[in-house]
Amino acid sequence: MDVAAYIPAFVALFVIIDPVGLTPLFVALTQGMDVHERRGVAIRACLVALGILTLFGMAGEAVLNFLGISMPAFRIAGGVLLFLTALDMLFERRAQRRQGQADTAHPEDPSVFPLAIPLIAGPGAIATMILLTGQEGGGALHVLTVHVVMALVITVVFSLFLLAAPLERLLGPTGIAVVTRLLGMLLAALSVQFVIDGMRDLQVI
């Protein structure tokens, strides 16, 4: 198995989930909690998100087939969705929307909503899992490897949640904005590739 072939999968999931962008919101959502309470919230949020993304990674294509949606069509739609997310990241609309979701969350335990859904396992991450696991020629080993890659990204999210406060002080608002825009540019390029792959599968190009 060529591990390097799954680097784009890691990049795609890392960019769409955006662990760096989630870190300041985790701090805001867990404000006033001690270290143990914050760790509990982080564990629950990451486990719920892991379960949701695993479910869609394993059964997402079967659901599409049941609804009569072809994989190339979903690739194109997913690419468009990811491109819109990239635009939000580049023009700060994503951060504003996430902050709005954070402001309306239940103050006591934000682990399921909004942390797990929709901030970690949002529509973009779900679409990306279905796209990655549904790639042509991908067998059981491919699907398993994609889920391992997804678990690694969730591990990064969990690690950054544990380091949320010092990282926020280190990067500052400007550093976080710069990183978010760089990730947005990468996501835009990856989303265009999804659209091209879908059109190629439909023999449009």
Side-chain angles (χ1 to χ4, degrees):
M1 182 181 64
D2 185 7
V3 177
Y6 291 92
I7 292 177
F10 179 87
V11 172
L13 286 168
F14 186 90
V15 169
I16 192 63
I17 293 175
D18 188 13
V20 176
L22 285 174
T23 302
L25 288 179
F26 179 80
V27 174
L29 288 166
T30 57
Q31 188 174 7
M33 295 184 181
D34 59 29
V35 175
H36 298 292
E37 289 173 329
R38 274 188 165 175
R39 184 181 296 113
V41 170
I43 291 172
R44 287 191 297 273
C46 290
L47 287 178
V48 171
L50 182 68
I52 291 171
L53 293 179
T54 299
L55 174 64
F56 278 94
M58 297 294 292
E61 191 169 2
V63 173
L64 292 181
N65 292 334
F66 177 77
L67 295 174
I69 301 173
S70 68
M71 202 60 212
F74 193 83
R75 281 196 182 94
I76 294 173
V80 173
L81 173 63
L82 298 185
F83 187 77
L84 293 175
T85 303
L87 290 180
D88 285 346
M89 293 172 69
L90 288 168
F91 295 104
E92 291 189 329
R93 293 194 296 266
R94 191 186 198 198
Q96 293 169 2
R97 185 171 62 250
R98 280 180 163 179
Q99 188 61 57
Q101 291 168 337
D103 292 341
T104 58
H106 196 286
E108 293 184 0
D109 187 0
S111 55
V112 176
F113 179 85
L115 281 174
I117 311 168
L119 297 183
I120 302 175
I126 291 171
T128 303
M129 281 299 295
I130 296 177
L131 291 171
L132 291 172
T133 56
Q135 287 179 346
E136 188 175 355
L141 181 59
H142 166 76
V143 173
L144 176 62
T145 306
V146 170
H147 281 82
V148 171
V149 169
M150 179 268 291
L152 288 175
V153 176
I154 297 295
T155 302
V156 174
V157 173
F158 178 71
S159 300
L160 289 179
F161 279 178
L162 296 183
L163 300 173
L167 278 175
E168 184 183 29
R169 291 193 296 268
L170 177 65
L171 290 175
T174 302
I176 292 174
V178 170
V179 171
T180 299
R181 280 168 171 75
L182 288 174
L183 293 175
M185 292 177 64
L186 288 173
L187 180 59
L190 287 167
S191 66
V192 171
Q193 187 62 54
F194 276 138
V195 173
I196 292 173
D197 289 344
M199 294 178 69
R200 185 179 293 119
D201 290 341
L202 291 173
Q203 298 183 345
V204 176
I205 57 174

